Amino acid sequence: MTQQIPQTPPDAPEPTPAPELSGVRNFRDVGGLSTTDGRRVRPGRLFRSGHLAHATETDAEFLESLGLHTVFDFRNGADQALEGPDVELAGVRNVNIPLSDPADGKEFWAMVRDGELDRLRAVLGDGKAAARMRDSYRTIILTRTAEHGRVVHALAGDSVPALMHCAAGKDRAGLSIAVTLLALGVERDAIVADYLESNAPHNRYRVRRGSDAPEARSPEVMELLAPLFEARAEYLLTAFDTIDGRWGGVDGYLAEGLGLAPATLERLRERLLTG
């Protein structure tokens, strides 16, 4: 799918530039994305990133300068045990809404860090890694409607400006951003284009292995792990297909799945859209 970078209207503020943060990966402002009715996501209202556990003092100063109201952390206990809690940002509310099971997280990180080649071949080879990711996206959409509904309701209330993150800022945060953008009426192509920006070298999660031995990071090992840490359009499109298949489209998903009333959606759009 061709990525298209939307142009910000002349009368709208520019999206917040993405600085080279030292300890935070995959940060960006999603402002500027276009909606089906010709409006744009308002810059400076909705941000996404990887975890904030390793944010430096300079990183924290920049994040505090954004005037954030809420940071949504979608990591589970296993993620937090591995990376640590988010740094505290002055005046910012931190909300942890796990979008995956800690037991699954523990198994995932054990495989990533310590899985030997034979096990990785068995579990991830022959397309199994990509299939695992597609199944994960499908499962989150089907089973985490209460959590996603909670996030969108909060954004329609008093929780903006907001930053959403998980571990890498790609999957759980990517889906939560996608759900929010669907609620705003953003074009699906624009949502996918933003999602794929997680593949930029400065955005990608740094895969850590438990050993420094050369065989622990051999080309074959890294190739087997790659689908788990890449943003692939097929993953997000699986989420969209799941919405269409289960709820008949975005409108049904927002109303029946997430429990969003028309008035709530209108408040959300007033807060987050220009025009």
Side-chain angles (χ1 to χ4, degrees):
M1 181 174 296
T2 301
Q3 296 190 41
Q4 296 181 347
I5 302 175
Q7 299 298 313
T8 305
D11 59 347
E14 292 292 331
T16 300
E20 290 295 331
L21 299 175
S22 301
V24 180
R25 309 288 285 183
N26 210 5
F27 171 85
R28 58 189 176 276
D29 182 347
V30 300
L33 298 182
S34 60
T35 64
T36 56
D37 64 0
R39 290 187 284 179
R40 304 273 183 174
V41 178
R42 191 183 301 277
R45 291 293 181 269
L46 187 59
F47 304 90
R48 59 183 294 172
S49 75
H51 70 78
L52 309 184
H54 300 162
T56 65
E57 184 176 343
T58 300
D59 295 341
E61 288 176 357
F62 169 77
L63 294 171
E64 289 172 352
S65 76
L66 301 176
L68 295 172
H69 181 284
T70 303
V71 170
F72 292 98
D73 180 357
F74 301 119
R75 296 180 297 163
N76 58 46
D79 302 319
Q80 294 181 347
L82 178 68
E83 303 286 4
D86 284 345
V87 300
E88 293 187 8
L89 302 176
V92 179
R93 181 179 66 171
N94 291 281
V95 178
N96 180 223
I97 304 178
L99 289 181
S100 56
D101 187 90
D104 293 337
K106 186 175 181 180
E107 180 272 335
F108 175 85
W109 290 117
M111 176 181 63
V112 169
R113 289 180 61 82
D114 302 315
E116 297 182 353
L117 180 56
D118 287 346
R119 180 172 179 241
L120 295 179
R121 284 172 176 163
V123 175
L124 303 177
D126 299 320
K128 295 187 185 73
R132 176 186 179 125
M133 295 302 297
R134 293 193 300 271
D135 184 62
S136 173
Y137 278 52
R138 184 181 301 110
T139 298
I140 288 174
I141 288 295
L142 290 173
T143 65
R144 301 291 177 166
T145 51
E147 290 87 342
H148 281 143
R150 178 184 169 189
V151 170
V152 178
H153 273 101
L155 295 175
D158 64 353
S159 296
V160 293
L163 168 67
M164 298 186 188
H165 79 79
C166 51
K170 173 179 71 76
D171 302 313
R172 290 162 293 182
L175 278 173
S176 299
I177 287 287
V179 166
T180 303
L181 295 176
L182 287 174
L184 291 172
V186 173
E187 301 274 4
R188 291 191 184 191
D189 284 357
I191 298 174
V192 173
D194 172 72
Y195 167 77
L196 292 176
E197 288 185 25
S198 293
N199 287 328
H202 63 282
N203 284 337
R204 290 179 69 105
Y205 184 83
R206 293 190 180 101
V207 179
R208 296 193 296 173
R209 295 280 283 163
S211 169
D212 293 329
E215 58 268 23
R217 296 184 67 90
S218 70
E220 184 177 359
V221 166
M222 301 312 291
E223 183 178 355
L224 287 165
L225 292 172
L228 305 178
F229 294 95
E230 292 174 352
R232 296 186 178 182
E234 64 180 289
Y235 302 161
L236 195 53
L237 293 177
T238 294
F240 293 159
D241 289 344
T242 302
I243 287 171
D244 294 340
R246 170 64 178 81
W247 290 280
V250 172
D251 290 344
Y253 170 66
L254 297 175
E256 179 187 345
L258 304 192
L260 298 172
T264 303
L265 289 173
E266 185 57 34
R267 287 198 305 272
L268 177 76
R269 292 163 184 166
E270 288 175 357
R271 284 185 174 276
L272 292 176
L273 296 179
T274 63

